[in-house]
Amino acid sequence: MAREKWNSKLGFILAASGSAVGLGNLWKFPYETYSNGGSAFIFVYLLATILVGLPIMMAEIFIGKSTNKNPIGAFKTLHPSAWHIIGWLGIASGFVILSYYSVVGGWTLRYFLQTLTGAYLSMNQEQVASDFGSFVQDGMAQILFHTVFMFMIVGIVILGVRKGIELAGKILMPMLFIILLILVVMAIQTSGFYQSILYLFYPDFSKITTNSIIESMGQSFFSLSLGMGAIITYGSYMQKNEPIIKDAITIVFFDTMVAIMACLMIFPILFTFELKPNASIGILFSTLPLLFLKMPGGIVIGPLFFLLVIFAALTSGVSLLEVVVSYFIDEKGWNRKKATIVIGMAIWILGFPSALSNGGWSWLSGMKWIGERNFFDSLDYLASSWMLPIGGIFIAIFTGWIVSKEIRNESFAKDHDGFYNVIVFLLKYVSPLLVFLVLLNVTGIL
Ligand code: TRP
């Protein structure tokens, strides 16, 4: 059977944006910004995205597009040597990330139901916050919602590239953007808006810490879906001979916009209601119900918003699963149905300890795995701070040093020489070196 392809270029851009825009932007970025001092984090994040994220985005699209293969097959085709180990690392990352990602995806399902039934209407702000706390400690509910979320992802991936993934991106991405805009406009009108603008954008370089640099780099990889071959896989469904610069810039721009908009929507609420710093991983969930309570039409927009967060999470989760599935289809000759179901089940099971580690099972939530982190946080740390950056370094080195000529021929229009030189320079020297320094730091060597 012929390998599948996107219907159109726009279909690719929206699907890749669908992969990039997800819980990383709406849930993770705001709480990392919060725990790393606001504007300082946003500043290093933007820097990391331009110097590391954008070039690697191009590198991944190129690797996929020029080979039409899954991450492992793609490296094997471009260069028959040990490079395909990067592909393996990517497949492992897909497994790890989706297992806990789906747990948070489950939270969005539950918040959709809660806002739909008006459960928050009678609550005050303490109750809204403690509602999140008791929900994550409810083991049964955690497993249930995680299971439903995995089901939905498996359902989309089974439908295939055009009928499942591309269609989902085309419908959901534009809607998400519009709703976000409405919410930002609402948040602007709260009294905490001015304070949050200062907090988010007034440069305060003294607040830059090693931790914010490390986390911003990992977050940039995570948010842009880089370092594990998700974009390689999506690139592999592109038609040949299309320049990729504009696509890459569009996806990166869109993803960054959504992350910043998420902050513009959440922080004014945080300041207006003087919510406690311990909002951390619950920040998205314990602030928004308050916004919906205050705004006219909130009773409609509330569920609508969570529906869109669900969609954002789904289109990202789909890309995580698709990486692993495409490998089993291309290299092992499985059909799509078998690959999707078998792998979906395996990831579902791996998600259990994450689902139960935020309080569901007390003995498990008391257990520390990496440093002070519980199981859920340890997987996120392992993936975002290690697996994705390591994958990213090698992808950059591979494209910058080994196949850079091919990139020029395949993916850059003739009049883009200057841009090409900059990108190759970044891929050769800047991105690998920066990521490497960050890794040395994570290990405590630096
Ligand atoms: N980028 C997505 C988000 O921001 C998550 C994601 C999807 C991802 N595919 C990925 C992260 C591949 C790393 C690698 O929510």
Side-chain angles (χ1 to χ4, degrees), residues 69-76 84 87 91 228-230 232-233 323 326:
K69 291 264 171 66
N70 67 89
I72 295 180
F75 282 105
K76 281 188 178 157
H84 69 270
I91 302 231
M228 61 153 281
I232 296 182
T233 309
V323 173
S326 74

Side-chain angles (χ1 to χ4, degrees), residues 16-28 60 90 93-94 97 100-101 218-231 234 255 312-313 315-321 323 383-384 388:
S17 305
S19 167
V21 173
L23 296 168
N25 311 58
L26 302 168
W27 162 70
K28 224 172 145 194
E60 286 206 25
S93 314
I97 297 176
Y100 70 86
Y101 198 84
Q219 172 62 15
S220 186
F221 277 106
F222 188 91
S223 186
L224 294 169
S225 300
L226 297 175
M228 61 153 281
I231 300 295
Y234 276 18
D255 186 74
T315 47
S316 300
V318 158
S319 74
L320 288 160
L321 183 55
V323 173
S384 312
L388 300 179

Side-chain angles (χ1 to χ4, degrees), residues 381-428:
Y381 172 75
L382 192 68
S384 312
S385 299
W386 286 99
M387 299 171 87
L388 300 179
I390 289 177
I393 288 193
F394 284 111
I395 290 170
I397 293 178
F398 180 73
T399 22
W401 290 92
I402 301 192
V403 294
S404 61
K405 292 232 170 48
E406 287 86 338
I407 305 191
R408 172 182 232 129
N409 300 338
E410 275 248 11
S411 308
F412 283 79
K414 295 263 170 325
D415 52 343
H416 284 151
D417 260 4
F419 200 75
Y420 164 83
N421 290 332
V422 173
I423 291 293
V424 170
F425 178 77
L426 289 173
L427 284 173
K428 264 186 161 168

Side-chain angles (χ1 to χ4, degrees), residues 228-251:
M228 61 153 281
I231 300 295
I232 296 182
T233 309
Y234 276 18
S236 77
Y237 302 129
M238 279 176 100
Q239 317 282 348
K240 291 228 172 193
N241 301 322
E242 286 177 301
I244 59 170
I245 299 182
K246 278 199 199 124
D247 303 4
I249 294 179
T250 310
I251 299 163

Side-chain angles (χ1 to χ4, degrees), residues 131-435:
D131 171 69
F132 177 78
S134 45
F135 168 59
V136 292
Q137 288 173 24
D138 178 350
M140 276 310 288
Q142 292 296 310
I143 297 283
L144 178 75
F145 286 108
H146 161 60
T147 307
V148 176
F149 191 82
M150 276 310 296
F151 248 103
M152 296 168 84
I153 290 197
V154 166
I156 298 176
V157 173
I158 274 192
L159 290 176
V161 172
R162 284 190 186 183
K163 291 210 196 86
I165 304 173
E166 183 167 355
L167 194 66
K170 272 188 177 157
I171 300 174
L172 305 176
M173 281 299 109
M175 278 170 69
L176 174 72
F177 201 72
I178 292 170
I179 291 283
L180 253 180
L181 256 175
I182 297 178
L183 289 175
V184 171
V185 170
M186 296 305 303
I188 286 177
Q189 296 165 22
T190 59
S191 58
F193 182 68
Y194 180 66
Q195 196 186 347
S196 64
I197 289 289
L198 287 184
Y199 178 77
L200 292 170
F201 301 116
Y202 188 77
D204 179 358
F205 299 115
S206 67
K207 285 216 200 108
I208 298 180
T209 59
T210 17
N211 193 56
S212 62
I213 297 175
I214 294 169
E215 278 198 23
S216 67
M217 185 89 73
Q219 172 62 15
S220 186
F221 277 106
F222 188 91
S223 186
L224 294 169
S225 300
L226 297 175
M228 61 153 281
I231 300 295
I232 296 182
T233 309
Y234 276 18
S236 77
Y237 302 129
M238 279 176 100
Q239 317 282 348
K240 291 228 172 193
N241 301 322
E242 286 177 301
I244 59 170
I245 299 182
K246 278 199 199 124
D247 303 4
I249 294 179
T250 310
I251 299 163
V252 170
F253 178 76
F254 191 57
D255 186 74
T256 310
M257 282 288 291
V258 172
I260 298 213
M261 283 167 77
C263 286
L264 284 177
M265 156 183 97
I266 290 171
F267 283 94
I269 311 303
L270 208 68
F271 288 122
T272 304
F273 288 91
E274 294 172 353
L275 295 184
K276 312 250 160 26
N278 65 10
S280 71
I281 60 169
I283 203 168
L284 174 73
F285 299 98
S286 38
T287 51
L288 283 175
L290 296 172
L291 178 60
F292 300 137
L293 283 183
K294 284 207 67 169
M295 62 195 268
I299 196 163
V300 180
I301 299 218
L304 196 57
F305 175 75
F306 277 110
L307 193 64
L308 292 168
V309 184
I310 294 173
F311 293 149
L314 281 176
T315 47
S316 300
V318 158
S319 74
L320 288 160
L321 183 55
E322 178 67 18
V323 173
V324 192
V325 165
S326 74
Y327 166 74
F328 280 90
I329 296 177
D330 289 353
E331 309 287 310
K332 297 285 167 207
W334 291 15
N335 64 36
R336 179 168 281 275
K337 195 167 157 205
K338 173 180 169 191
T340 314
I341 292 177
V342 171
I343 294 151
M345 292 256 287
I347 295 177
W348 172 64
I349 293 170
L350 182 62
F352 275 47
S354 290
L356 296 168
S357 68
N358 285 312
W361 277 5
S362 49
W363 62 269
L364 185 66
S365 34
M367 232 142 98
K368 306 288 174 224
W369 297 77
I370 304 178
E372 284 301 296
R373 298 171 183 86
N374 66 17
F375 191 84
F376 175 98
D377 293 334
S378 298
L379 287 194
D380 185 32
Y381 172 75
L382 192 68
S384 312
S385 299
W386 286 99
M387 299 171 87
L388 300 179
I390 289 177
I393 288 193
F394 284 111
I395 290 170
I397 293 178
F398 180 73
T399 22
W401 290 92
I402 301 192
V403 294
S404 61
K405 292 232 170 48
E406 287 86 338
I407 305 191
R408 172 182 232 129
N409 300 338
E410 275 248 11
S411 308
F412 283 79
K414 295 263 170 325
D415 52 343
H416 284 151
D417 260 4
F419 200 75
Y420 164 83
N421 290 332
V422 173
I423 291 293
V424 170
F425 178 77
L426 289 173
L427 284 173
K428 264 186 161 168
Y429 306 101
V430 181
S431 321
L433 199 70
L434 283 180
V435 183

